[in-house]
Amino acid sequence: MKKRVNRLIAALFATVVAVSPLVGCGAETADAGVLELNVFNAEEYISEFDADWETTDIIEDFEAYATEKYGRKVKVNYSTFGTLENMYNELQLTKKKGKNGYTYAYDLVCPSDYMIQRMINEDMLETYDVNYDEDGNVSYKTIDNFNDYASGFIKDLFNSKEEPDYVTGTVKKWSEYAVCYMWGTMGFIYNPVKLAETNANIDINSIVDENGELKLSGEELENAVNANTWHLPWEAYYKNLGTIKDSIRDTYALAVGNVYSDKLLELKALWENGTLTHDEYQAVLIKVFNNVNSAFSDEFAELNLPADKLAAVRKIFPDSKEKTVDKVSETLKVLKHNVYGFEVDSGKKDMAAGKIAINFAWSGDAAYTLDTADEYSDGAKLYYAVPKEGSNIWFDAWVMPKGANKELAQDFVNFISSPENAISNMDYIGYVSPIAGDDVFMRMLDTYELTTDAEEAEELGYTAIDYSYYFDNVSDEIEVEDENGETVTIKTKTDDGKVMIYASPDMIGRQLTTQYPDKSTVDRCALMTTLSKQELKDLNKMWSDVKVGDIPTALLIIIPVIIGLVVIGLIAYSILKKHGITFKRKPKNYGTLLKSERI
């Protein structure tokens, strides 16, 4: 994956753009005939030209494409944000009051799932131009690339989720407001050898041979070093060996996973033994990971589960006088003394360089980190694990704020949804596009040297992975050119219609499954949801308390006293000066300088 541009440079660029006057969305500039598209995206989150990685400059390419299409110059004003909260605040600062409500200074913005929900709730977004099938599912009138190539898994999820607009009182599907850009999971990047060397309870010889090579891989390796549990960074053996995200929502999910670890395993067992359907399990999981200050009994009652199922869930998660947010606060205060620190981006480099052994990370960053470590001549072999108790599955998507130039914005989304541009984006930033289909499938096979031939896989001792859930739209057979220029046919599906790939066992837990998790992993991951104002207030209070709550009591008393004395002194000085009373220092006598001492 592409090495990232220095974040400081990106931040400076974002600041310059933020303070620069923005032309109205999609408006013509003073240079007659020029169309502008204002795009607001996360830092380092779109393909740029790189000859080594064969990636393209998406922005430049779109400008050329759109200029030809419209017969007039098209310019993209591309700016970036560091966090979703910063993005939201920037939109609020630049909004303008109009006859039909507020409009915003950007035509396209790329937030994550829970922020998309908030923006829908607050009536901040335009809807895409869509068609509906007989089941009410959405397809896009002008975004044919997404219609044709996006994974059915992504389409179904966005069509199945609805969100109310509290301003207008309407309820619409996510797919009417948002087109998915990237997606992934959250988990831990870990250095198995370093964990085994540090933890006295782990026999290093059980995972490493006499040559220092790992003997285990995949789930066996995760279990051997306990890397697939939310308890991992809390382990006393790993003091100062882990980092966590300096992000409220993400680290909150981490802490919830730790607080309710055993209960989450019991909940998963209800799904695995058939007590709960998968949809019911997912609904409960979402409630647990997004709980802040409400009683679980009230949360679960909203799911309309049958009485016996509701009773089974409530038995696992009984109401408690102590709120989830308070439990999270307690466990994070413990954790912050065990980890190396909080970070947003530095954890990738620290992991690759061997400075730390555990990094709480998004899957795209994990893939990049594994790549970076592999590039070091003496780099450790790193792995990625999604906790077995359940985790977060996230989606970033393009939305159009009110007042956007919808035609040009939808053109941009269609352009970046083509298979070739989706591949360039994935190669450059390390995350996974919702675009699937033949080209992306073959790119995955080539990149990771996979096979779809079961007989060949058996001879090689390869592991089977069922990707039917994601690559549902690949052709049964794909014709490609081999290294000799000969046309060969790749059979992509089994006789019963499954999309099976076969990988070397040492790829499990590495880049392949980091980017493309199997269905069992996806099935135990929950979405983040938007929170109420009170929940956000409680969350922010907790976060502030965790981050600065360890200042000694004496210091908390002394600081206000000192400030008070300084203020009193300044007031007294001002009063005395007003009455003509001043204080002058007696001049010091430094003696007479010699000529040679003068400068």
Side-chain angles (χ1 to χ4, degrees):
M1 307 305 159
K2 173 67 183 171
K3 288 187 177 179
R4 311 301 176 85
V5 177
N6 185 285
R7 289 181 67 86
L8 178 58
I9 296 174
L12 287 172
F13 175 75
T15 303
V16 171
V17 172
V19 299
S20 298
L22 283 168
V23 179
C25 295
E28 293 185 20
T29 66
D31 183 6
V34 176
L35 289 173
E36 292 195 354
L37 181 72
N38 296 317
V39 179
F40 204 21
N41 195 8
E43 294 170 3
E44 303 168 359
Y45 209 32
I46 200 162
S47 174
E48 297 179 18
F49 174 76
D50 190 293
D52 293 336
W53 287 98
E54 299 180 355
T55 57
T56 62
D57 188 321
I58 296 288
I59 299 299
E60 185 178 288
D61 289 352
F62 174 74
E63 289 176 332
Y65 156 80
T67 295
E68 182 177 352
K69 176 179 178 178
Y70 287 93
R72 55 203 295 193
K73 183 175 176 58
V74 173
K75 176 177 173 53
V76 176
N77 296 318
Y78 185 82
S79 53
T80 62
F81 55 83
T83 69
L84 291 173
E85 286 68 30
N86 290 343
M87 176 275 296
Y88 177 85
N89 291 335
E90 170 70 10
L91 287 177
Q92 296 306 314
L93 287 171
T94 59
K95 67 184 180 183
K96 294 181 179 180
K97 182 78 171 178
K99 292 182 179 180
N100 299 316
Y102 287 107
T103 60
Y104 300 87
Y106 296 94
D107 301 293
L108 273 175
V109 181
C110 189
S112 295
D113 34 49
Y114 71 90
M115 186 58 74
I116 294 170
Q117 295 168 55
R118 181 177 181 180
M119 294 170 80
I120 295 173
N121 294 161
E122 297 178 9
D123 194 37
M124 293 175 64
L125 303 179
E126 300 277 6
T127 56
Y128 280 86
D129 298 326
V130 300
N131 295 310
Y132 302 90
D133 66 15
E134 57 186 13
D135 297 319
N137 293 322
V138 163
S139 63
Y140 300 99
K141 290 183 178 179
T142 61
I143 311 178
D144 292 332
N145 283 328
F146 195 89
N147 293 336
D148 295 341
Y149 301 112
S151 166
F153 164 69
I154 303 291
K155 289 180 180 177
D156 291 346
L157 188 142
F158 274 61
N159 272 316
S160 68
K161 301 295 181 182
E162 294 183 332
E163 201 66 34
D165 180 331
Y166 294 129
V167 177
T168 64
T170 58
V171 177
K172 292 187 177 180
K173 298 176 183 293
W174 282 14
S175 50
E176 295 177 80
Y177 289 104
V179 177
C180 187
Y181 178 54
M182 295 287 165
W183 73 282
T185 59
M186 288 205 75
F188 295 112
I189 310 168
Y190 67 99
N191 182 332
V193 175
K194 202 160 189 174
L195 296 187
E197 289 173 342
T198 308
N199 193 331
N201 293 324
I202 301 173
D203 178 10
I204 185 70
N205 295 317
S206 67
I207 68 167
V208 177
D209 63 22
E210 61 275 9
N211 298 316
E213 297 293 327
L214 285 166
K215 296 192 292 186
L216 304 177
S217 61
E219 191 173 345
E220 288 183 333
L221 184 62
E222 291 177 8
N223 291 329
V225 297
N226 299 316
N228 54 358
T229 173
W230 287 118
H231 296 313
L232 184 64
W234 275 267
E235 286 278 0
Y237 285 110
Y238 306 141
K239 186 173 179 62
N240 295 326
L241 286 181
T243 55
I244 57 176
K245 288 283 172 279
D246 193 2
S247 165
I248 299 178
R249 290 302 303 270
D250 298 309
T251 300
Y252 188 78
L254 160 75
V256 169
N258 179 64
V259 166
Y260 297 122
S261 174
D262 294 340
K263 295 180 182 297
L264 287 167
L265 290 175
E266 291 181 54
L267 177 65
K268 187 168 72 167
L270 291 184
W271 163 50
E272 292 173 338
N273 66 24
T275 301
L276 297 177
T277 66
H278 176 255
D279 287 345
E280 290 167 342
Y281 166 64
Q282 274 282 310
V284 176
L285 200 62
I286 289 172
K287 288 293 187 183
V288 174
F289 271 103
N290 292 279
N291 185 268
V292 176
N293 53 21
S294 55
F296 276 125
S297 58
D298 295 336
E299 291 280 329
F300 299 147
E302 297 175 1
L303 302 179
N304 297 316
L305 297 173
D308 57 334
K309 296 185 178 186
L310 181 59
V313 171
R314 283 178 170 172
K315 185 177 179 181
I316 296 174
F317 293 95
D319 288 339
S320 169
K321 292 182 179 179
E322 188 177 22
K323 298 175 181 177
T324 298
V325 68
D326 296 328
K327 293 179 180 180
V328 164
S329 179
E330 291 172 13
T331 197
L332 284 180
K333 286 177 181 178
V334 172
L335 178 61
K336 82 172 191 177
H337 293 296
N338 203 57
V339 295
Y340 180 75
F342 294 79
E343 59 84 29
V344 174
D345 201 50
S346 60
K348 300 193 294 290
K349 293 178 181 177
D350 289 341
M351 277 298 301
K355 192 173 184 178
I356 56 176
I358 305 165
N359 180 226
F360 179 46
W362 302 289
S363 52
D365 281 355
Y368 165 79
T369 305
L370 269 57
D371 277 346
T372 305
D374 290 347
E375 291 174 6
Y376 282 97
S377 58
D378 57 348
K381 195 171 186 179
L382 304 180
Y383 286 78
Y384 175 74
V386 176
K388 58 191 173 186
E389 300 96 339
S391 185
N392 167 234
I393 186 170
W394 54 265
F395 299 89
D396 292 340
W398 293 106
V399 299
M400 298 182 294
K402 285 289 181 73
N405 181 330
K406 291 179 59 172
E407 182 180 7
L408 196 56
Q410 289 175 105
D411 267 347
F412 182 85
V413 175
N414 185 59
F415 183 79
I416 63 174
S417 296
S418 70
E420 59 269 28
N421 287 328
I423 288 170
S424 187
N425 266 329
M426 288 191 288
D427 285 348
Y428 190 88
I429 66 178
Y431 284 79
V432 176
S433 166
I435 302 305
D438 293 358
D439 291 338
V440 175
F441 183 77
M442 289 307 303
R443 182 58 173 245
M444 181 184 70
L445 292 188
D446 293 341
T447 300
Y448 296 112
E449 299 179 351
L450 311 173
T451 181
T452 59
D453 188 324
E455 292 183 4
E456 179 187 4
E458 187 174 359
E459 292 176 5
L460 295 170
Y462 276 13
T463 299
I465 305 176
D466 186 348
Y467 279 137
S468 303
Y469 85 96
Y470 192 72
F471 288 102
D472 60 320
N473 59 352
V474 298
S475 305
D476 292 348
E477 295 181 340
I478 302 175
E479 290 189 349
V480 297
E481 283 190 4
D482 63 15
E483 55 188 12
N484 299 317
E486 299 290 332
T487 299
V488 295
T489 301
I490 304 294
K491 184 179 179 182
T492 62
K493 295 182 180 178
T494 60
D495 292 339
D496 56 356
K498 290 184 177 180
V499 179
M500 302 294 298
I501 65 97
Y502 302 90
S504 171
D506 62 6
M507 287 189 179
I508 311 302
R510 297 273 288 155
Q511 286 92 327
L512 171 64
T513 54
T514 297
Q515 288 195 302
Y516 294 100
D518 62 16
K519 192 165 189 302
S520 66
T521 300
V522 170
D523 282 344
R524 67 176 187 269
C525 291
L527 287 164
M528 286 187 190
T529 58
T530 190
L531 301 176
S532 69
K533 289 183 179 179
Q534 185 59 51
E535 288 171 327
L536 287 171
K537 183 178 178 181
D538 290 348
L539 210 60
N540 286 322
K541 182 178 181 299
M542 176 278 299
W543 188 244
S544 177
D545 189 37
V546 167
K547 296 292 288 294
V548 301
D550 283 347
I551 298 175
T553 304
L555 191 59
L556 290 174
I557 297 171
I558 291 170
I559 290 174
V561 169
I562 292 173
I563 293 173
L565 290 173
V566 170
V567 171
I568 292 170
L570 290 172
I571 293 172
Y573 177 76
S574 177
I575 293 172
L576 291 171
K577 187 177 180 182
K578 187 177 181 180
H579 288 81
I581 302 172
T582 59
F583 300 92
K584 293 183 178 179
R585 291 185 301 172
K586 184 180 179 180
K588 271 193 175 184
N589 183 6
Y590 293 101
T592 303
L593 292 175
L594 300 175
K595 282 187 177 181
S596 61
E597 294 176 311
R598 298 183 187 277
I599 300 173

